[in-house]
PDB file of all heavy atoms in Angstrom:
ATOM      1  N   VAL O   1       6.542  -4.159   0.177  1.00  0.00           N
ATOM      2  CA  VAL O   1       7.726  -3.370   0.547  1.00  0.00           C
ATOM      3  C   VAL O   1       7.993  -2.342  -0.541  1.00  0.00           C
ATOM      4  O   VAL O   1       8.224  -1.159  -0.243  1.00  0.00           O
ATOM      5  CB  VAL O   1       8.950  -4.296   0.782  1.00  0.00           C
ATOM      6  CG1 VAL O   1      10.225  -3.477   0.904  1.00  0.00           C
ATOM      7  CG2 VAL O   1       8.737  -5.167   1.991  1.00  0.00           C
ATOM      8  N   GLN O   2       7.928  -2.752  -1.801  1.00  0.00           N
ATOM      9  CA  GLN O   2       8.172  -1.834  -2.918  1.00  0.00           C
ATOM     10  C   GLN O   2       7.132  -0.714  -2.937  1.00  0.00           C
ATOM     11  O   GLN O   2       7.469   0.446  -3.158  1.00  0.00           O
ATOM     12  CB  GLN O   2       8.177  -2.574  -4.258  1.00  0.00           C
ATOM     13  CG  GLN O   2       9.333  -3.548  -4.406  1.00  0.00           C
ATOM     14  CD  GLN O   2      10.670  -2.828  -4.356  1.00  0.00           C
ATOM     15  OE1 GLN O   2      11.112  -2.392  -3.305  1.00  0.00           O
ATOM     16  NE2 GLN O   2      11.310  -2.710  -5.488  1.00  0.00           N
ATOM     17  N   ALA O   3       5.863  -1.071  -2.750  1.00  0.00           N
ATOM     18  CA  ALA O   3       4.804  -0.065  -2.743  1.00  0.00           C
ATOM     19  C   ALA O   3       4.998   0.927  -1.598  1.00  0.00           C
ATOM     20  O   ALA O   3       4.807   2.139  -1.764  1.00  0.00           O
ATOM     21  CB  ALA O   3       3.443  -0.732  -2.653  1.00  0.00           C
ATOM     22  N   LEU O   4       5.390   0.426  -0.430  1.00  0.00           N
ATOM     23  CA  LEU O   4       5.611   1.303   0.733  1.00  0.00           C
ATOM     24  C   LEU O   4       6.752   2.270   0.488  1.00  0.00           C
ATOM     25  O   LEU O   4       6.719   3.410   0.942  1.00  0.00           O
ATOM     26  CB  LEU O   4       5.887   0.455   1.984  1.00  0.00           C
ATOM     27  CG  LEU O   4       4.709  -0.256   2.590  1.00  0.00           C
ATOM     28  CD1 LEU O   4       5.167  -1.287   3.614  1.00  0.00           C
ATOM     29  CD2 LEU O   4       3.729   0.714   3.206  1.00  0.00           C
ATOM     30  N   ARG O   5       7.775   1.827  -0.228  1.00  0.00           N
ATOM     31  CA  ARG O   5       8.935   2.684  -0.487  1.00  0.00           C
ATOM     32  C   ARG O   5       8.579   3.885  -1.353  1.00  0.00           C
ATOM     33  O   ARG O   5       9.276   4.872  -1.354  1.00  0.00           O
ATOM     34  CB  ARG O   5      10.063   1.891  -1.122  1.00  0.00           C
ATOM     35  CG  ARG O   5      10.737   0.998  -0.122  1.00  0.00           C
ATOM     36  CD  ARG O   5      11.985   0.367  -0.668  1.00  0.00           C
ATOM     37  NE  ARG O   5      12.631  -0.404   0.378  1.00  0.00           N
ATOM     38  CZ  ARG O   5      13.120  -1.622   0.216  1.00  0.00           C
ATOM     39  NH1 ARG O   5      13.062  -2.205  -0.943  1.00  0.00           N
ATOM     40  NH2 ARG O   5      13.668  -2.239   1.224  1.00  0.00           N
ATOM     41  N   THR O   6       7.491   3.819  -2.088  1.00  0.00           N
ATOM     42  CA  THR O   6       7.100   4.959  -2.934  1.00  0.00           C
ATOM     43  C   THR O   6       6.405   6.055  -2.125  1.00  0.00           C
ATOM     44  O   THR O   6       6.331   7.190  -2.591  1.00  0.00           O
ATOM     45  CB  THR O   6       6.153   4.515  -4.069  1.00  0.00           C
ATOM     46  OG1 THR O   6       4.924   4.038  -3.505  1.00  0.00           O
ATOM     47  CG2 THR O   6       6.790   3.456  -4.924  1.00  0.00           C
ATOM     48  N   ILE O   7       5.940   5.742  -0.935  1.00  0.00           N
ATOM     49  CA  ILE O   7       5.155   6.698  -0.157  1.00  0.00           C
ATOM     50  C   ILE O   7       5.951   7.951   0.191  1.00  0.00           C
ATOM     51  O   ILE O   7       5.476   9.062   0.000  1.00  0.00           O
ATOM     52  CB  ILE O   7       4.602   6.057   1.132  1.00  0.00           C
ATOM     53  CG1 ILE O   7       3.561   5.020   0.776  1.00  0.00           C
ATOM     54  CG2 ILE O   7       3.996   7.108   2.053  1.00  0.00           C
ATOM     55  CD1 ILE O   7       3.064   4.232   1.955  1.00  0.00           C
ATOM     56  N   ASN O   8       7.138   7.821   0.712  1.00  0.00           N
ATOM     57  CA  ASN O   8       7.893   8.984   1.167  1.00  0.00           C
ATOM     58  C   ASN O   8       8.299   9.922   0.044  1.00  0.00           C
ATOM     59  O   ASN O   8       8.622  11.057   0.282  1.00  0.00           O
ATOM     60  CB  ASN O   8       9.151   8.559   1.932  1.00  0.00           C
ATOM     61  CG  ASN O   8       8.798   8.111   3.320  1.00  0.00           C
ATOM     62  OD1 ASN O   8       7.753   8.484   3.852  1.00  0.00           O
ATOM     63  ND2 ASN O   8       9.630   7.298   3.909  1.00  0.00           N
ATOM     64  N   PHE O   9       8.263   9.449  -1.188  1.00  0.00           N
ATOM     65  CA  PHE O   9       8.644  10.300  -2.288  1.00  0.00           C
ATOM     66  C   PHE O   9       7.503  11.156  -2.814  1.00  0.00           C
ATOM     67  O   PHE O   9       7.727  12.073  -3.561  1.00  0.00           O
ATOM     68  CB  PHE O   9       9.186   9.446  -3.442  1.00  0.00           C
ATOM     69  CG  PHE O   9      10.419   8.677  -3.056  1.00  0.00           C
ATOM     70  CD1 PHE O   9      10.390   7.315  -2.912  1.00  0.00           C
ATOM     71  CD2 PHE O   9      11.609   9.338  -2.807  1.00  0.00           C
ATOM     72  CE1 PHE O   9      11.507   6.615  -2.523  1.00  0.00           C
ATOM     73  CE2 PHE O   9      12.744   8.637  -2.429  1.00  0.00           C
ATOM     74  CZ  PHE O   9      12.695   7.272  -2.306  1.00  0.00           C
ATOM     75  N   THR O  10       6.268  10.871  -2.391  1.00  0.00           N
ATOM     76  CA  THR O  10       5.129  11.561  -2.975  1.00  0.00           C
ATOM     77  C   THR O  10       5.124  13.057  -2.698  1.00  0.00           C
ATOM     78  O   THR O  10       4.905  13.830  -3.602  1.00  0.00           O
ATOM     79  CB  THR O  10       3.793  10.968  -2.488  1.00  0.00           C
ATOM     80  OG1 THR O  10       3.765  10.996  -1.058  1.00  0.00           O
ATOM     81  CG2 THR O  10       3.605   9.559  -2.986  1.00  0.00           C
ATOM     82  N   SER O  11       5.428  13.486  -1.489  1.00  0.00           N
ATOM     83  CA  SER O  11       5.387  14.909  -1.223  1.00  0.00           C
ATOM     84  C   SER O  11       6.623  15.614  -1.727  1.00  0.00           C
ATOM     85  O   SER O  11       6.601  16.774  -2.079  1.00  0.00           O
ATOM     86  CB  SER O  11       5.196  15.185   0.273  1.00  0.00           C
ATOM     87  OG  SER O  11       6.322  14.765   0.982  1.00  0.00           O
ATOM     88  N   ALA O  12       7.757  14.905  -1.788  1.00  0.00           N
ATOM     89  CA  ALA O  12       8.998  15.532  -2.196  1.00  0.00           C
ATOM     90  C   ALA O  12       9.114  15.679  -3.708  1.00  0.00           C
ATOM     91  O   ALA O  12       9.637  16.660  -4.200  1.00  0.00           O
ATOM     92  CB  ALA O  12      10.185  14.733  -1.659  1.00  0.00           C
ATOM     93  N   ILE O  13       8.628  14.701  -4.433  1.00  0.00           N
ATOM     94  CA  ILE O  13       8.838  14.721  -5.876  1.00  0.00           C
ATOM     95  C   ILE O  13       7.620  15.217  -6.641  1.00  0.00           C
ATOM     96  O   ILE O  13       7.751  15.883  -7.638  1.00  0.00           O
ATOM     97  CB  ILE O  13       9.272  13.321  -6.368  1.00  0.00           C
ATOM     98  CG1 ILE O  13      10.606  12.994  -5.732  1.00  0.00           C
ATOM     99  CG2 ILE O  13       9.354  13.250  -7.870  1.00  0.00           C
ATOM    100  CD1 ILE O  13      11.100  11.612  -6.018  1.00  0.00           C
ATOM    101  N   GLY O  14       6.438  14.895  -6.164  1.00  0.00           N
ATOM    102  CA  GLY O  14       5.269  15.466  -6.794  1.00  0.00           C
ATOM    103  C   GLY O  14       4.356  14.455  -7.450  1.00  0.00           C
ATOM    104  O   GLY O  14       4.318  13.283  -7.089  1.00  0.00           O
ATOM    105  N   ALA O  15       3.641  14.907  -8.448  1.00  0.00           N
ATOM    106  CA  ALA O  15       2.550  14.145  -9.051  1.00  0.00           C
ATOM    107  C   ALA O  15       3.004  12.863  -9.709  1.00  0.00           C
ATOM    108  O   ALA O  15       2.291  11.854  -9.667  1.00  0.00           O
ATOM    109  CB  ALA O  15       1.836  15.008 -10.072  1.00  0.00           C
ATOM    110  N   GLU O  16       4.190  12.821 -10.317  1.00  0.00           N
ATOM    111  CA  GLU O  16       4.660  11.616 -10.986  1.00  0.00           C
ATOM    112  C   GLU O  16       4.784  10.468  -9.993  1.00  0.00           C
ATOM    113  O   GLU O  16       4.352   9.350 -10.261  1.00  0.00           O
ATOM    114  CB  GLU O  16       6.005  11.877 -11.659  1.00  0.00           C
ATOM    115  CG  GLU O  16       6.551  10.660 -12.368  1.00  0.00           C
ATOM    116  CD  GLU O  16       7.903  10.951 -13.003  1.00  0.00           C
ATOM    117  OE1 GLU O  16       8.055  12.028 -13.577  1.00  0.00           O
ATOM    118  OE2 GLU O  16       8.774  10.093 -12.905  1.00  0.00           O
ATOM    119  N   GLU O  17       5.373  10.749  -8.819  1.00  0.00           N
ATOM    120  CA  GLU O  17       5.528   9.703  -7.826  1.00  0.00           C
ATOM    121  C   GLU O  17       4.184   9.338  -7.199  1.00  0.00           C
ATOM    122  O   GLU O  17       3.971   8.200  -6.834  1.00  0.00           O
ATOM    123  CB  GLU O  17       6.525  10.137  -6.736  1.00  0.00           C
ATOM    124  CG  GLU O  17       7.938  10.190  -7.233  1.00  0.00           C
ATOM    125  CD  GLU O  17       8.482   8.843  -7.676  1.00  0.00           C
ATOM    126  OE1 GLU O  17       8.050   7.811  -7.112  1.00  0.00           O
ATOM    127  OE2 GLU O  17       9.314   8.805  -8.589  1.00  0.00           O
ATOM    128  N   THR O  18       3.286  10.323  -7.035  1.00  0.00           N
ATOM    129  CA  THR O  18       1.957  10.028  -6.507  1.00  0.00           C
ATOM    130  C   THR O  18       1.267   9.042  -7.417  1.00  0.00           C
ATOM    131  O   THR O  18       0.633   8.100  -6.966  1.00  0.00           O
ATOM    132  CB  THR O  18       1.135  11.327  -6.376  1.00  0.00           C
ATOM    133  OG1 THR O  18       1.820  12.215  -5.524  1.00  0.00           O
ATOM    134  CG2 THR O  18      -0.251  11.034  -5.837  1.00  0.00           C
ATOM    135  N   THR O  19       1.397   9.229  -8.709  1.00  0.00           N
ATOM    136  CA  THR O  19       0.808   8.312  -9.672  1.00  0.00           C
ATOM    137  C   THR O  19       1.403   6.917  -9.533  1.00  0.00           C
ATOM    138  O   THR O  19       0.688   5.934  -9.567  1.00  0.00           O
ATOM    139  CB  THR O  19       1.015   8.844 -11.108  1.00  0.00           C
ATOM    140  OG1 THR O  19       0.460  10.150 -11.182  1.00  0.00           O
ATOM    141  CG2 THR O  19       0.331   7.941 -12.121  1.00  0.00           C
ATOM    142  N   ARG O  20       2.733   6.847  -9.329  1.00  0.00           N
ATOM    143  CA  ARG O  20       3.368   5.539  -9.122  1.00  0.00           C
ATOM    144  C   ARG O  20       2.837   4.861  -7.871  1.00  0.00           C
ATOM    145  O   ARG O  20       2.590   3.655  -7.872  1.00  0.00           O
ATOM    146  CB  ARG O  20       4.889   5.684  -9.011  1.00  0.00           C
ATOM    147  CG  ARG O  20       5.557   5.566 -10.316  1.00  0.00           C
ATOM    148  CD  ARG O  20       7.043   5.449 -10.266  1.00  0.00           C
ATOM    149  NE  ARG O  20       7.605   5.126  -8.964  1.00  0.00           N
ATOM    150  CZ  ARG O  20       8.885   5.222  -8.668  1.00  0.00           C
ATOM    151  NH1 ARG O  20       9.722   5.646  -9.567  1.00  0.00           N
ATOM    152  NH2 ARG O  20       9.334   4.922  -7.483  1.00  0.00           N
ATOM    153  N   ALA O  21       2.668   5.621  -6.801  1.00  0.00           N
ATOM    154  CA  ALA O  21       2.154   5.045  -5.552  1.00  0.00           C
ATOM    155  C   ALA O  21       0.719   4.562  -5.750  1.00  0.00           C
ATOM    156  O   ALA O  21       0.345   3.506  -5.259  1.00  0.00           O
ATOM    157  CB  ALA O  21       2.211   6.060  -4.422  1.00  0.00           C
ATOM    158  N   GLU O  22      -0.095   5.347  -6.465  1.00  0.00           N
ATOM    159  CA  GLU O  22      -1.465   4.935  -6.732  1.00  0.00           C
ATOM    160  C   GLU O  22      -1.494   3.674  -7.585  1.00  0.00           C
ATOM    161  O   GLU O  22      -2.303   2.788  -7.339  1.00  0.00           O
ATOM    162  CB  GLU O  22      -2.225   6.063  -7.429  1.00  0.00           C
ATOM    163  CG  GLU O  22      -2.507   7.250  -6.540  1.00  0.00           C
ATOM    164  CD  GLU O  22      -3.049   8.457  -7.328  1.00  0.00           C
ATOM    165  OE1 GLU O  22      -2.983   8.449  -8.560  1.00  0.00           O
ATOM    166  OE2 GLU O  22      -3.514   9.372  -6.667  1.00  0.00           O
ATOM    167  N   THR O  23      -0.620   3.592  -8.581  1.00  0.00           N
ATOM    168  CA  THR O  23      -0.542   2.423  -9.430  1.00  0.00           C
ATOM    169  C   THR O  23      -0.142   1.200  -8.617  1.00  0.00           C
ATOM    170  O   THR O  23      -0.737   0.120  -8.756  1.00  0.00           O
ATOM    171  CB  THR O  23       0.467   2.650 -10.584  1.00  0.00           C
ATOM    172  OG1 THR O  23       0.062   3.801 -11.301  1.00  0.00           O
ATOM    173  CG2 THR O  23       0.528   1.447 -11.489  1.00  0.00           C
ATOM    174  N   ALA O  24       0.845   1.347  -7.762  1.00  0.00           N
ATOM    175  CA  ALA O  24       1.293   0.234  -6.923  1.00  0.00           C
ATOM    176  C   ALA O  24       0.163  -0.215  -6.015  1.00  0.00           C
ATOM    177  O   ALA O  24      -0.064  -1.409  -5.831  1.00  0.00           O
ATOM    178  CB  ALA O  24       2.516   0.636  -6.107  1.00  0.00           C
ATOM    179  N   ALA O  25      -0.555   0.737  -5.440  1.00  0.00           N
ATOM    180  CA  ALA O  25      -1.667   0.393  -4.563  1.00  0.00           C
ATOM    181  C   ALA O  25      -2.777  -0.324  -5.328  1.00  0.00           C
ATOM    182  O   ALA O  25      -3.344  -1.288  -4.843  1.00  0.00           O
ATOM    183  CB  ALA O  25      -2.220   1.644  -3.883  1.00  0.00           C
ATOM    184  N   ALA O  26      -3.060   0.150  -6.550  1.00  0.00           N
ATOM    185  CA  ALA O  26      -4.112  -0.494  -7.357  1.00  0.00           C
ATOM    186  C   ALA O  26      -3.715  -1.918  -7.734  1.00  0.00           C
ATOM    187  O   ALA O  26      -4.557  -2.795  -7.787  1.00  0.00           O
ATOM    188  CB  ALA O  26      -4.367   0.338  -8.603  1.00  0.00           C
ATOM    189  N   GLU O  27      -2.432  -2.136  -8.017  1.00  0.00           N
ATOM    190  CA  GLU O  27      -1.972  -3.474  -8.357  1.00  0.00           C
ATOM    191  C   GLU O  27      -2.101  -4.440  -7.186  1.00  0.00           C
ATOM    192  O   GLU O  27      -2.337  -5.613  -7.359  1.00  0.00           O
ATOM    193  CB  GLU O  27      -0.522  -3.440  -8.840  1.00  0.00           C
ATOM    194  CG  GLU O  27      -0.356  -2.771 -10.191  1.00  0.00           C
ATOM    195  CD  GLU O  27       1.105  -2.564 -10.556  1.00  0.00           C
ATOM    196  OE1 GLU O  27       1.984  -2.910  -9.748  1.00  0.00           O
ATOM    197  OE2 GLU O  27       1.345  -2.038 -11.645  1.00  0.00           O
ATOM    198  N   LEU O  28      -1.919  -3.921  -5.980  1.00  0.00           N
ATOM    199  CA  LEU O  28      -1.971  -4.765  -4.800  1.00  0.00           C
ATOM    200  C   LEU O  28      -3.390  -4.976  -4.282  1.00  0.00           C
ATOM    201  O   LEU O  28      -3.630  -5.923  -3.541  1.00  0.00           O
ATOM    202  CB  LEU O  28      -1.125  -4.180  -3.684  1.00  0.00           C
ATOM    203  CG  LEU O  28       0.371  -4.115  -3.968  1.00  0.00           C
ATOM    204  CD1 LEU O  28       1.082  -3.364  -2.861  1.00  0.00           C
ATOM    205  CD2 LEU O  28       0.942  -5.510  -4.108  1.00  0.00           C
ATOM    206  N   ALA O  29      -4.304  -4.122  -4.651  1.00  0.00           N
ATOM    207  CA  ALA O  29      -5.667  -4.183  -4.133  1.00  0.00           C
ATOM    208  C   ALA O  29      -6.324  -5.550  -4.304  1.00  0.00           C
ATOM    209  O   ALA O  29      -6.878  -6.083  -3.360  1.00  0.00           O
ATOM    210  CB  ALA O  29      -6.525  -3.082  -4.713  1.00  0.00           C
ATOM    211  N   PRO O  30      -6.278  -6.172  -5.500  1.00  0.00           N
ATOM    212  CA  PRO O  30      -6.936  -7.464  -5.622  1.00  0.00           C
ATOM    213  C   PRO O  30      -6.332  -8.528  -4.714  1.00  0.00           C
ATOM    214  O   PRO O  30      -7.029  -9.387  -4.236  1.00  0.00           O
ATOM    215  CB  PRO O  30      -6.732  -7.848  -7.092  1.00  0.00           C
ATOM    216  CG  PRO O  30      -6.400  -6.574  -7.779  1.00  0.00           C
ATOM    217  CD  PRO O  30      -5.750  -5.691  -6.755  1.00  0.00           C
ATOM    218  N   VAL O  31      -5.041  -8.448  -4.468  1.00  0.00           N
ATOM    219  CA  VAL O  31      -4.373  -9.449  -3.626  1.00  0.00           C
ATOM    220  C   VAL O  31      -4.912  -9.371  -2.205  1.00  0.00           C
ATOM    221  O   VAL O  31      -5.267 -10.372  -1.613  1.00  0.00           O
ATOM    222  CB  VAL O  31      -2.836  -9.233  -3.633  1.00  0.00           C
ATOM    223  CG1 VAL O  31      -2.164 -10.140  -2.628  1.00  0.00           C
ATOM    224  CG2 VAL O  31      -2.299  -9.471  -5.026  1.00  0.00           C
ATOM    225  N   SER O  32      -4.959  -8.175  -1.640  1.00  0.00           N
ATOM    226  CA  SER O  32      -5.351  -8.057  -0.253  1.00  0.00           C
ATOM    227  C   SER O  32      -6.864  -8.177  -0.048  1.00  0.00           C
ATOM    228  O   SER O  32      -7.312  -8.610   0.980  1.00  0.00           O
ATOM    229  CB  SER O  32      -4.844  -6.748   0.352  1.00  0.00           C
ATOM    230  OG  SER O  32      -5.420  -5.662  -0.340  1.00  0.00           O
ATOM    231  N   SER O  33      -7.665  -7.796  -1.049  1.00  0.00           N
ATOM    232  CA  SER O  33      -9.098  -7.852  -0.866  1.00  0.00           C
ATOM    233  C   SER O  33      -9.663  -9.241  -1.140  1.00  0.00           C
ATOM    234  O   SER O  33     -10.773  -9.535  -0.753  1.00  0.00           O
ATOM    235  CB  SER O  33      -9.795  -6.828  -1.760  1.00  0.00           C
ATOM    236  OG  SER O  33      -9.550  -7.155  -3.112  1.00  0.00           O
ATOM    237  N   SER O  34      -8.904 -10.128  -1.789  1.00  0.00           N
ATOM    238  CA  SER O  34      -9.418 -11.448  -2.089  1.00  0.00           C
ATOM    239  C   SER O  34      -9.290 -12.403  -0.921  1.00  0.00           C
ATOM    240  O   SER O  34      -9.838 -13.479  -0.950  1.00  0.00           O
ATOM    241  CB  SER O  34      -8.683 -12.021  -3.313  1.00  0.00           C
ATOM    242  OG  SER O  34      -7.337 -12.240  -2.988  1.00  0.00           O
ATOM    243  N   VAL O  35      -8.589 -12.001   0.124  1.00  0.00           N
ATOM    244  CA  VAL O  35      -8.378 -12.878   1.267  1.00  0.00           C
ATOM    245  C   VAL O  35      -9.219 -12.358   2.431  1.00  0.00           C
ATOM    246  O   VAL O  35      -9.152 -11.187   2.769  1.00  0.00           O
ATOM    247  CB  VAL O  35      -6.880 -12.894   1.666  1.00  0.00           C
ATOM    248  CG1 VAL O  35      -6.676 -13.764   2.886  1.00  0.00           C
ATOM    249  CG2 VAL O  35      -6.043 -13.364   0.514  1.00  0.00           C
ATOM    250  N   ALA O  36     -10.007 -13.222   3.031  1.00  0.00           N
ATOM    251  CA  ALA O  36     -10.819 -12.824   4.172  1.00  0.00           C
ATOM    252  C   ALA O  36      -9.927 -12.715   5.408  1.00  0.00           C
ATOM    253  O   ALA O  36      -9.172 -13.624   5.713  1.00  0.00           O
ATOM    254  CB  ALA O  36     -11.924 -13.850   4.419  1.00  0.00           C
ATOM    255  N   ILE O  37     -10.059 -11.615   6.103  1.00  0.00           N
ATOM    256  CA  ILE O  37      -9.229 -11.382   7.283  1.00  0.00           C
ATOM    257  C   ILE O  37     -10.145 -11.298   8.484  1.00  0.00           C
ATOM    258  O   ILE O  37     -11.085 -10.519   8.516  1.00  0.00           O
ATOM    259  CB  ILE O  37      -8.425 -10.075   7.144  1.00  0.00           C
ATOM    260  CG1 ILE O  37      -7.487 -10.185   5.965  1.00  0.00           C
ATOM    261  CG2 ILE O  37      -7.664  -9.776   8.426  1.00  0.00           C
ATOM    262  CD1 ILE O  37      -6.781  -8.902   5.632  1.00  0.00           C
ATOM    263  N   ASP O  38      -9.845 -12.101   9.488  1.00  0.00           N
ATOM    264  CA  ASP O  38     -10.618 -12.094  10.726  1.00  0.00           C
ATOM    265  C   ASP O  38     -10.071 -10.977  11.591  1.00  0.00           C
ATOM    266  O   ASP O  38      -8.961 -11.042  12.072  1.00  0.00           O
ATOM    267  CB  ASP O  38     -10.481 -13.447  11.411  1.00  0.00           C
ATOM    268  CG  ASP O  38     -11.287 -13.510  12.693  1.00  0.00           C
ATOM    269  OD1 ASP O  38     -12.212 -12.685  12.846  1.00  0.00           O
ATOM    270  OD2 ASP O  38     -10.992 -14.386  13.524  1.00  0.00           O
ATOM    271  N   LYS O  39     -10.871  -9.929  11.779  1.00  0.00           N
ATOM    272  CA  LYS O  39     -10.439  -8.801  12.588  1.00  0.00           C
ATOM    273  C   LYS O  39     -11.123  -8.818  13.953  1.00  0.00           C
ATOM    274  O   LYS O  39     -11.385  -7.780  14.533  1.00  0.00           O
ATOM    275  CB  LYS O  39     -10.743  -7.486  11.868  1.00  0.00           C
ATOM    276  CG  LYS O  39      -9.947  -7.331  10.599  1.00  0.00           C
ATOM    277  CD  LYS O  39      -9.339  -6.019  10.544  1.00  0.00           C
ATOM    278  CE  LYS O  39      -8.475  -5.932   9.314  1.00  0.00           C
ATOM    279  NZ  LYS O  39      -7.654  -4.822   9.285  1.00  0.00           N
ATOM    280  N   THR O  40     -11.424 -10.007  14.454  1.00  0.00           N
ATOM    281  CA  THR O  40     -12.019 -10.147  15.766  1.00  0.00           C
ATOM    282  C   THR O  40     -11.020  -9.662  16.798  1.00  0.00           C
ATOM    283  O   THR O  40      -9.877 -10.080  16.794  1.00  0.00           O
ATOM    284  CB  THR O  40     -12.382 -11.617  16.035  1.00  0.00           C
ATOM    285  OG1 THR O  40     -13.131 -12.125  14.956  1.00  0.00           O
ATOM    286  CG2 THR O  40     -13.130 -11.751  17.334  1.00  0.00           C
ATOM    287  N   PRO O  41     -11.464  -8.765  17.683  1.00  0.00           N
ATOM    288  CA  PRO O  41     -10.505  -8.273  18.683  1.00  0.00           C
ATOM    289  C   PRO O  41     -10.030  -9.396  19.609  1.00  0.00           C
ATOM    290  O   PRO O  41     -10.787 -10.277  19.981  1.00  0.00           O
ATOM    291  CB  PRO O  41     -11.293  -7.223  19.475  1.00  0.00           C
ATOM    292  CG  PRO O  41     -12.692  -7.303  19.018  1.00  0.00           C
ATOM    293  CD  PRO O  41     -12.765  -8.183  17.813  1.00  0.00           C
ATOM    294  N   VAL O  42      -8.752  -9.329  19.944  1.00  0.00           N
ATOM    295  CA  VAL O  42      -8.167 -10.313  20.829  1.00  0.00           C
ATOM    296  C   VAL O  42      -8.507  -9.903  22.266  1.00  0.00           C
ATOM    297  O   VAL O  42      -8.225  -8.793  22.684  1.00  0.00           O
ATOM    298  CB  VAL O  42      -6.640 -10.383  20.644  1.00  0.00           C
ATOM    299  CG1 VAL O  42      -6.016 -11.318  21.634  1.00  0.00           C
ATOM    300  CG2 VAL O  42      -6.320 -10.770  19.224  1.00  0.00           C
ATOM    301  N   VAL O  43      -9.147 -10.796  22.987  1.00  0.00           N
ATOM    302  CA  VAL O  43      -9.577 -10.483  24.355  1.00  0.00           C
ATOM    303  C   VAL O  43      -8.509 -10.868  25.352  1.00  0.00           C
ATOM    304  O   VAL O  43      -8.255 -10.145  26.299  1.00  0.00           O
ATOM    305  CB  VAL O  43     -10.913 -11.201  24.671  1.00  0.00           C
ATOM    306  CG1 VAL O  43     -11.346 -10.930  26.081  1.00  0.00           C
ATOM    307  CG2 VAL O  43     -11.985 -10.783  23.683  1.00  0.00           C
ATOM    308  N   GLU O  44      -7.857 -11.994  25.144  1.00  0.00           N
ATOM    309  CA  GLU O  44      -6.875 -12.476  26.091  1.00  0.00           C
ATOM    310  C   GLU O  44      -5.480 -12.375  25.487  1.00  0.00           C
ATOM    311  O   GLU O  44      -5.303 -12.543  24.301  1.00  0.00           O
ATOM    312  CB  GLU O  44      -7.151 -13.928  26.450  1.00  0.00           C
ATOM    313  CG  GLU O  44      -8.463 -14.114  27.170  1.00  0.00           C
ATOM    314  CD  GLU O  44      -8.687 -15.564  27.527  1.00  0.00           C
ATOM    315  OE1 GLU O  44      -7.720 -16.298  27.760  1.00  0.00           O
ATOM    316  OE2 GLU O  44      -9.845 -15.978  27.575  1.00  0.00           O
TER     317      GLU O  44
END
């Protein structure tokens, strides 16, 4: 939620906020990539 809140500020505020968003994304990357996600399409 915190990382998502930084997104809307990137175009309005500029490079400083873009860096914050990139940092937040980098911090979250190991969390989401360490978990296997089954993306099998739901048929029914």
Side-chain angles (χ1 to χ4, degrees):
V1 170
Q2 293 299 73
L4 287 167
R5 286 189 176 135
T6 65
I7 292 174
N8 283 338
F9 298 110
T10 56
S11 67
I13 296 175
E16 180 181 319
E17 290 296 330
T18 301
T19 304
R20 269 191 15 194
E22 290 170 347
T23 303
E27 290 171 359
L28 295 174
V31 172
S32 62
S33 64
S34 66
V35 178
I37 298 173
D38 181 20
K39 295 228 177 191
T40 309
V42 176
V43 178
E44 296 180 31

